[in-house]
Amino acid sequence: MNNASNTLLSLQGLTMVFGGLVAVNDFNLDLHDGDLVGLIGPNGAGKTTVFNMISGQYIPTKGKVIFDGQEVQRLMPNVITGLGIARTFQNIRLFGNLSVLDNIMVSFHGKLKASFIAAMIGTPGYLSTERDLREEAYSLLEAVELSDVAYEDAQSLPYGKQRRLEIARALATHPKLLLLDEPAAGMNPYETLHLMRFIQRIRKDFNVTILLIEHDMKVVMGICERVLVMDFGIQIADGTPDKIRNDPKVIEAYLGVDE
Amino acid sequence: MERKNTTRRDMILTGMLLVLLMIGVALANRYLSSYLVRVLNTACIYVVAAVGYNLINGITGQFSLGPNGFMAIGGYTVAILMLPLAEKEAVYFIYPLMWPFNSFSFPPSMFVVALFAGGVMAALAALVIGIPTLRLRGDYLAIATFGFGEIIFIIANNWISLTNGALGIKGIPQYTNLWWTAGLAFATVYFVKSLVNSSYGRAMKAIRENEVAAAAMGVDLLRNKLLAFVLSGFLAGVAGGLFVTLISTVSPTLFTFAMTFNLLIIIVLGGLGSITGATITAVIFAFLQEILREVEAPMTIGPWHLPGIPGMRMVVFSALLVALMIFYRRGLFGRWEISWQQVISWLKRERIQHE
Ligand SMILES: Nc1ncnc2c1ncn2[C@@H]1O[C@H](COP(=O)(O)OP(=O)(O)O)[C@@H](O)[C@H]1O
Ligand SMILES: [Mg+2]
């Protein structure tokens, strides 16, 4: 943790109520530029709901999301993405019938300057923009080692590559903050190891701050400098992996719901 | 470098296709019977409407049932603008045509302006329906567009000083010919195809595939759905305008839900989302509709005499649709698209075999 650097994201008293259920209760978090922070907790603890509030999918019942000095909790998801927050989903949500390359290129649309009419006519100017976008997408695929499947349908990829594509697609929006929701879910130990290295690499190469929800303790303890623990919508611990591992409250939360 | 050359090559090939089409139109006008030319006209009009409809339903994945309403708006707009003043007095004999339409009439040279106006009126209607309903996820658009079609039907029947009510408008000059219909079908396919291959088209397809993910990747859902819906409404309006100036009459029963059903059959048969499919099936459909006229005529098979059953064609089409949904769920063409690259590689393969 580097306290000297800027606060990139600040969650202040975030609360989400669904009917009678308080899914997230008074959640607070400060993320600094360059952080790699883990968010863990038993199933149903409210982790994904926190992501949904940051990315604009849910409007919080109470509280604020301050990103880069700006309140964003009432903005539309696409606007928030434009400001520099990108995410992946716990249940993969790729554009299944589009090619891997097209999946990436969708992420460029939000910042496209070309007009609808120019695109419809196919003006030389537009076509040259299109070529540039295609090249940019292709080099991104090279960087994440997916260029060999660039023209395949996203849905035809094996599971591990789909996860990687989802991360690459999020990176294509040029985010400052990347939210990863259980990226290792369903992976075998080998794939998980590969993913851990991958996350560390993109953090450097793309210069992103990462907030990571993960079930697999090995992943979180292995790559995060700081870990937050949630249970029943409440934050119950915050600290280094070592501190978290020995925290009695955390042990109890995990043992309490042990299957 | 290579890619730049292929764009130029594709443009040249597209230009050549246009020239071929023009030669085809000239030949058809000269050598084909007026009956066949009429069927070809209908086929081209179906292409305009179906490719436009496919943009919102197949590409963007928003289930609209609106094309008949939009075609009606386009059709009535063109009819009212183009009907000669003398005809206006004769046709509107119950109530005179309302001001300002009773005071002017477009000359033949302004037919294209009238068509454009028909498209714009339909596009405006799409905008008005789209802004509230496309915000919502789910089937609201289907319900709203279905209701819209019914409202247009009621307006066409009852706003007599504008539409002449149930009697409709007769004596519209027959400006539509194969030059117009084939030309506009070509333009529609060209523009929609380059749109679909552009960043806007990708955004539309992303919305179809997964709205939540599309929004999370920065796609403005409402804006892109509206663009697709409004353009699709525009094209339906133009198709409606072409249609009434082909058959030289318009009445409330011309653009009922049956028209939307026809277009739905076309785009589903062709493979939702495939422009190639929509184009080819639109043409097949127009011809099939003529051929199947036979099944509505009285028939004598051996000792049995069957009376003509009006509407039998729709039964056949519906059965076809059901069969297709069972055996060929993705339509005849799936999401397949033809491209110049493919045509060239086929030709090359062909030549290698010949040598
Ligand atoms: N859209 C929603 N409507 C109602 N309840 C929800 C909704 N989203 C999440 N919840 C509930 O909120 C709680 C937290 O869910 P979630 O954030 O997905 O947990 P986690 O990601 O930590 O497993 C769960 O009880 C879940 O059922
Ligand atoms: Mg979750």
Side-chain angles (χ1 to χ4, degrees):
Chain A
M1 241 194 300
N2 181 0
N3 285 324
S5 62
N6 279 335
T7 303
L8 183 63
L9 177 78
S10 176
L11 307 181
Q12 300 175 356
L14 269 193
T15 301
M16 187 81 223
V17 181
F18 296 113
L21 176 87
V22 184
V24 175
N25 195 357
D26 193 25
F27 189 83
N28 297 290
L29 167 67
D30 276 346
L31 278 187
H32 303 278
D33 273 335
D35 280 356
L36 172 47
V37 174
L39 180 58
I40 65 172
N43 253 329
K47 305 178 297 293
T48 299
T49 305
V50 170
F51 271 22
N52 285 339
M53 288 189 282
I54 301 173
S55 63
Q57 208 161 319
Y58 295 162
I59 294 175
T61 314
K62 260 205 315 245
K64 288 179 184 171
V65 178
I66 297 172
F67 179 70
D68 239 1
Q70 184 185 352
E71 268 188 44
V72 300
Q73 71 273 4
R74 304 210 137 258
L75 302 181
M76 296 287 280
N78 59 301
V79 177
I80 292 178
T81 305
L83 294 175
I85 301 180
R87 67 171 295 179
T88 65
F89 296 90
Q90 184 173 348
N91 316 305
I92 301 181
R93 287 174 180 270
L94 287 170
F95 308 124
N97 287 301
L98 303 194
S99 73
V100 167
L101 196 69
D102 280 353
N103 266 268
I104 300 284
M105 290 175 78
V106 168
S107 295
F108 301 151
H109 188 69
K111 297 206 171 83
L112 186 80
K113 296 279 185 300
S115 76
F116 182 72
I117 301 288
M120 194 167 74
I121 296 171
T123 60
Y126 179 76
L127 293 177
S128 115
T129 307
E130 177 78 12
R131 275 194 299 276
D132 294 345
L133 294 179
R134 199 159 288 273
E135 264 163 38
E136 189 185 339
Y138 197 83
S139 27
L140 179 63
L141 285 178
E142 281 176 331
V144 300
E145 289 160 29
L146 283 171
S147 54
D148 53 325
V149 290
Y151 300 101
E152 317 243 326
D153 277 0
Q155 66 193 6
S156 71
L157 297 188
Y159 191 77
K161 286 190 177 180
Q162 292 201 5
R163 284 275 179 208
R164 196 144 25 108
L165 174 58
E166 234 204 356
I167 298 175
R169 186 182 66 173
L171 287 173
T173 65
H174 300 293
K176 293 177 197 155
L177 172 65
L178 183 59
L179 309 172
L180 301 176
D181 196 345
E182 300 202 25
M187 286 189 173
N188 63 37
Y190 172 77
E191 285 175 322
T192 304
L193 198 69
H194 192 273
L195 178 82
M196 285 167 68
R197 286 207 213 100
F198 178 67
I199 291 174
Q200 285 175 315
R201 192 159 64 78
I202 58 168
R203 178 195 184 191
K204 278 210 205 70
D205 293 354
F206 293 86
N207 202 15
V208 283
T209 304
I210 297 177
L211 182 58
L212 170 76
I213 296 178
E214 191 42 76
H215 235 60
D216 190 331
M217 285 298 208
K218 274 201 304 296
V219 176
V220 181
M221 297 302 174
I223 61 175
C224 297
E225 295 122 12
R226 177 184 166 202
V227 179
L228 276 93
V229 190
M230 282 182 89
D231 193 18
F232 294 112
I234 299 167
Q235 182 182 314
I236 59 169
D238 178 357
T240 60
D242 273 336
K243 191 181 141 202
I244 294 297
R245 223 188 312 253
N246 301 313
D247 191 318
K249 268 197 283 184
V250 177
I251 295 168
E252 196 198 304
Y254 271 83
L255 290 180
V257 292
D258 218 341
E259 49 276 340
Chain B
M1 261 321 198
E2 182 130 349
R3 283 190 180 275
K4 198 155 203 170
N5 288 338
T6 58
T7 5
R8 173 158 317 151
R9 179 202 69 193
D10 289 356
M11 274 167 65
I12 292 169
L13 286 169
T14 306
M16 280 163 59
L17 185 68
L18 182 59
V19 172
L20 270 179
L21 185 77
M22 287 163 72
I23 294 171
V25 168
L27 291 176
N29 279 335
R30 172 169 281 214
Y31 294 110
L32 295 184
S33 68
S34 63
Y35 170 70
L36 267 181
V37 169
R38 207 174 112 132
V39 180
L40 282 175
N41 271 314
T42 313
C44 290
I45 293 171
Y46 273 136
V47 170
V48 174
V51 169
Y53 190 31
N54 192 37
L55 183 65
I56 185 71
N57 276 30
I59 304 289
T60 320
Q62 307 301 306
F63 193 43
S64 157
L65 292 171
N68 61 312
F70 298 129
M71 288 178 81
I73 291 180
Y76 274 101
T77 303
V78 172
I80 291 166
L81 291 177
M82 297 307 298
L83 196 68
L85 278 177
E87 291 285 340
K88 280 182 178 175
E89 260 173 46
V91 167
Y92 288 79
F93 63 86
I94 306 173
Y95 286 106
L97 179 57
M98 63 190 279
W99 188 86
F101 306 112
N102 59 354
S103 61
F104 72 91
S105 161
F106 278 11
S109 61
M110 275 170 72
F111 178 48
V112 65
V113 180
L115 277 179
F116 190 76
V120 168
M121 293 302 291
L124 285 176
L127 194 67
V128 170
I129 302 167
I131 287 173
T133 53
L134 289 170
R135 270 176 214 285
L136 309 166
R137 222 162 278 167
D139 303 322
Y140 296 96
L141 182 68
I143 297 161
T145 46
F146 182 77
F148 162 74
E150 298 304 301
I151 291 168
I152 293 296
F153 182 76
I154 292 167
I155 291 176
N157 264 313
N158 293 291
W159 193 352
I160 298 175
S161 63
L162 183 69
T163 65
N164 204 31
L167 292 177
I169 301 168
K170 292 184 184 66
I172 306 163
Q174 239 183 323
Y175 293 121
T176 293
N177 57 39
L178 213 45
W179 292 108
W180 281 112
T181 57
L184 286 171
F186 182 89
T188 300
V189 171
Y190 174 82
F191 287 128
V192 172
K193 194 166 160 66
S194 56
L195 179 70
V196 166
N197 289 335
S198 79
S199 186
Y200 287 91
R202 270 192 301 277
M204 289 165 188
K205 286 185 263 184
I207 292 172
R208 173 191 72 200
E209 295 291 312
N210 195 317
E211 281 199 15
V212 171
M217 296 310 126
V219 172
D220 186 333
L221 299 181
L222 180 62
R223 184 175 137 81
N224 285 282
K225 286 182 198 173
L226 266 181
L227 285 170
F229 190 49
V230 167
L231 179 57
S232 148
F234 177 86
L235 291 171
V238 171
L242 285 172
F243 204 59
V244 304
T245 42
L246 175 69
I247 64 174
S248 75
T249 161
V250 60
S251 66
T253 52
L254 188 59
F255 301 113
T256 57
F257 188 70
M259 178 61 83
T260 290
F261 191 64
N262 286 351
L263 293 170
L264 198 59
I265 290 175
I266 291 172
I267 64 173
V268 172
L269 272 177
L272 272 176
S274 166
I275 301 167
T276 311
T279 307
I280 295 173
T281 19
V283 176
I284 294 175
F285 187 89
F287 278 89
L288 214 56
Q289 226 183 6
E290 289 304 315
I291 294 165
L292 288 177
R293 241 177 237 289
E294 299 292 323
V295 303
E296 292 189 358
M299 269 183 286
T300 308
I301 306 172
W304 295 288
H305 182 75
L306 302 172
I309 308 167
M312 197 57 199
R313 275 187 291 177
M314 288 327 285
V315 175
V316 173
F317 280 128
S318 306
L320 210 62
L321 195 64
V322 171
L324 200 82
M325 286 299 92
I326 294 170
F327 299 110
Y328 242 104
R329 201 152 297 173
R330 307 194 60 193
L332 297 175
F333 297 89
R335 294 227 165 88
W336 180 78
E337 292 293 353
I338 197 167
S339 69
W340 285 122
Q341 192 58 50
Q342 278 169 335
V343 174
I344 287 169
S345 30
W346 283 335
L347 293 178
K348 277 192 182 144
R349 206 170 307 149
E350 202 81 333
R351 202 164 57 210
I352 291 163
Q353 279 166 2
H354 280 275
E355 275 164 6

